[in-house]
Amino acid sequence: MKLLVVVLFLSVALVSTTSPDPEAPTGFDNKSNGMVDDAAHQADQAKFDETEGVDDGLGPLYNAQSCRECHQNPTSGGTSQVSELRVGHQGHDHIFHNPEIPIAHGTEIIKGRTLVNDRSICPSAAFPDMEIQEHVPDSENIRTNRMSVGLLGDGFVEAVADQTLLDLSKKQCEESHHKICGQAIYVPIVEAPGQTGIGRFGWKDQHASLLSFSGDAYVNEMGITSRLFPDEVTKLCNTAPEPNNQPGTDGLDDVDHFARFVRASKAPARDATLADTPQAKKGSQLFDKIGCVTCHVRTLTTAAAGAKINGGTYTISDALGGKTFYPYSDFLLHNVGTGDGMVVPMIEHYGVRMYQIQWKSFSPQHFQKAQNKLRTAPLWGIRFRNRMMHDGQSITLRDAILRHRKEGREAAKHFKHLSAADQQAVLDFVNSL
Ligand code: HEC
Ligand code: HEC
């Protein structure tokens, strides 16, 4: 009897110490992960899906009329084939410079951003003679496309503590004997002037906060100004009052709805059929064995519920706190030989007023150092993309893998040396994510 009690006690202790953190919910059902109720989530989605017009403040320069246009596969908040254009040039000082793009027959020069907008709202009935389409001068000879990325489950990514990413970087560097050392970067939290966090969103880790990213996207992709980004890229052809985006009856701006929509989204679910095949299971082991997992980290855990992040402006809710999820990324910056030499443009991402503020632990030099680095692309939901890597230039998974050089060279080499069947197993596994 005594023995039985001891055994029972031990097994309970064992279960409670080894039981993992609860898992982040997954799926593509447009339902909330529990952070808000489903009705609120769907209302937020409606904002994300909404097509904006000139009267709402669209443009003057823009790329698309709604967030959904670029984030939609297989459902709102997902990824898409839409790419955008970024350019710049290397100066005589050997430093990267943002482009200077003349518009309106050279009467105005657009500066401070690497993004080149593909569309504009005029000429129009109101401005029949105004030409503001951006065209890239020949002198801007560093040019790249950047693919849209998926947002589903990003609320969990945002809720990972800075320290978790810093520790990951240190451990990775030590364990690889300094061959693979992901760079973590402090970036401004736009809604908390002076405060920073470890960047984890965008191909260059240019944001830590989903609210900051939403404001950035609203002005740069759609030309809609908000309290976070109150300055238009150009005033030419502009008629809507500023900031274009005003709070609704619930006190929330569109940018608040976008951020909450992403925060409450479920993480991408795996392809259960493929994941269950012997090949994919074997591929999963090989993925670890050949070193993909060093950067494409399987599991992360969010900070505890109640923790304050984004410079104290955002408290992690019960639905997001202490959750385990499977992004297959370390969210750190690496040079895998695909760098295009572009440095993150400060004004574009943090606003015209960013230089008036002293940001904690922030230095644009850190972005200089990351000139040829990119964030480890999270592989969750990769099966919804057929143009891979930041520039969309890899059309098959095999091409994408074999393109890894520098920090990713060893892993790519190990992949190349696998038998055809084992290579296929790795591809099946990645395709199941
Ligand atoms: C024209 C296409 C386009 C539109 C419209 C667009 N995005 Fe994006 N989005 C992108 C691209 C491209 C990236 C990657 C950007 C980069 O890092 O250069 C991205 C990245 C993001 C990210 C970072 C996700 C991550 O995991 O790294 C968020 C968040 C985001 N967009 C939110 C929005 C919101 C909110 C809207 C609407 C206000 C929006 N986007 C509109 C193309 C678009
Ligand atoms: C040193 C870190 C590192 C290692 C090791 C690594 N990757 Fe990557 N991986 C990256 C980075 C960084 C990118 C983004 C590169 C870009 O966009 O130019 C990436 C991109 C990818 C992509 C494209 C994803 C997309 O959304 O476009 C795939 C697929 C991929 N890696 C698979 C693998 C596999 C399989 C292995 C093992 C053979 C591996 N990677 C090893 C860092 C790494």
Side-chain angles (χ1 to χ4, degrees):
M1 184 61 194
K2 228 180 192 170
L3 187 69
L4 188 68
V5 170
V6 170
V7 168
L8 265 178
F9 175 77
L10 271 180
S11 54
V12 166
L14 209 67
V15 167
S16 61
T17 50
T18 55
S19 74
D21 291 298
E23 300 205 354
T26 63
F28 304 101
D29 56 7
N30 302 326
K31 294 206 171 121
S32 164
N33 60 26
M35 187 185 131
V36 294
D37 61 39
D38 288 338
H41 187 56
Q42 275 142 21
D44 288 341
Q45 179 182 326
K47 295 276 186 192
F48 185 88
D49 291 353
E50 197 173 299
T51 301
E52 307 290 347
V54 175
D55 292 343
D56 306 307
L58 183 73
L61 299 169
Y62 69 107
N63 282 335
Q65 293 168 277
S66 77
C67 305
R68 180 176 65 174
E69 263 186 76
C70 302
H71 297 289
Q72 199 273 333
N73 191 25
T75 185
S76 275
T79 180
S80 81
Q81 81 285 11
V82 179
S83 67
E84 44 185 55
L85 178 60
R86 289 186 183 275
V87 305
H89 63 272
Q90 194 89 5
H92 294 301
D93 52 6
H94 300 292
I95 288 175
F96 176 83
H97 290 269
N98 292 331
E100 299 196 348
I101 313 262
I103 58 170
H105 307 112
T107 53
E108 189 171 317
I109 312 277
I110 305 292
K111 297 177 186 166
R113 56 204 312 247
T114 59
L115 186 68
V116 180
N117 284 127
D118 288 306
R119 309 186 200 177
S120 60
I121 58 168
C122 55
S124 61
F127 300 95
D129 302 319
M130 195 62 94
E131 294 284 345
I132 62 165
Q133 176 61 45
E134 288 193 285
H135 294 284
V136 178
D138 287 314
S139 51
E140 304 301 345
N141 54 11
I142 299 181
R143 303 160 186 176
T144 188
N145 285 325
R146 291 269 172 83
M147 296 305 293
S148 301
V149 295
L151 317 180
L152 298 173
D154 271 357
F156 297 98
V157 180
E158 184 182 37
V160 170
D162 285 354
Q163 196 58 45
T164 303
L165 299 178
L166 292 166
D167 291 347
L168 194 57
S169 161
K170 195 162 161 242
K171 180 164 154 263
Q172 173 184 79
C173 197
E174 277 166 15
E175 286 178 357
S176 70
H177 306 285
H178 294 268
K179 283 196 190 131
I180 299 180
C181 299
Q183 186 186 350
I185 255 179
Y186 282 98
V187 298
I189 307 289
V190 180
E191 63 273 26
Q195 300 296 315
T196 54
I198 297 292
R200 59 201 66 190
F201 296 120
W203 286 104
K204 290 282 208 177
D205 276 343
Q206 61 266 30
H207 279 296
S209 147
L210 287 170
L211 183 58
S212 297
F213 211 121
S214 298
D216 175 340
Y218 216 16
V219 73
N220 288 304
E221 307 289 5
M222 297 168 64
I224 299 189
T225 51
S226 62
R227 69 175 195 278
L228 297 176
F229 290 80
D231 303 291
E232 291 282 9
V233 171
T234 175
K235 286 283 197 183
L236 295 177
C237 307
N238 193 50
T239 49
E242 308 293 338
N244 303 146
N245 170 219
Q246 301 284 353
T249 45
D250 55 4
L252 300 181
D253 284 7
D254 288 351
V255 289
D256 300 309
H257 288 288
F258 302 151
R260 194 171 67 179
F261 168 64
V262 179
R263 285 169 175 161
S265 65
K266 293 184 181 178
R270 290 191 64 182
D271 174 338
T273 314
L274 189 54
D276 209 33
T277 61
Q279 297 93 296
K281 285 180 180 163
K282 177 152 196 226
S284 175
Q285 290 168 1
L286 289 166
F287 186 84
D288 287 6
K289 199 171 151 203
I290 63 177
C292 308
V293 80
T294 309
C295 304
H296 295 283
V297 171
R298 281 172 189 266
T299 313
L300 288 176
T301 302
T302 60
K308 283 192 184 300
I309 57 169
N310 297 344
T313 57
Y314 173 60
T315 307
I316 296 174
S317 62
D318 288 342
L320 298 184
K323 295 286 182 299
T324 291
F325 64 106
Y326 306 94
Y328 295 87
S329 176
D330 55 8
F331 296 96
L332 301 170
L333 295 166
H334 293 275
N335 185 342
V336 293
T338 55
D340 44 39
M342 313 268 297
V343 176
V344 166
M346 299 294 137
I347 288 177
E348 176 186 334
H349 292 303
Y350 315 118
V352 175
R353 300 152 205 233
M354 81 153 286
Y355 287 112
Q356 297 163 15
I357 298 164
Q358 191 78 25
W359 302 91
K360 203 162 99 191
S361 319
F362 174 72
S363 157
Q365 300 303 323
H366 297 154
F367 277 119
Q368 293 284 349
K369 197 179 147 204
Q371 187 169 14
N372 280 308
K373 296 182 188 176
L374 291 146
R375 167 183 85 165
T376 301
L379 298 181
W380 57 0
I382 176 99
R383 66 185 188 281
F384 301 107
R385 308 190 51 202
N386 57 18
R387 303 174 196 195
M388 280 162 284
M389 309 297 258
H390 69 282
D391 53 9
Q393 291 299 301
S394 304
I395 304 302
T396 69
L397 262 186
R398 189 187 304 276
D399 289 353
I401 295 168
L402 294 176
R403 224 175 125 191
H404 288 59
R405 300 267 191 283
K406 308 258 183 183
E407 287 181 81
R409 187 174 161 272
E410 287 284 300
K413 201 175 80 187
H414 291 318
F415 174 81
K416 213 171 162 179
H417 290 160
L418 293 176
S419 68
D422 282 354
Q423 286 188 7
Q424 190 55 47
V426 173
L427 299 178
D428 282 356
F429 169 66
V430 174
N431 263 323
S432 77
L433 297 177

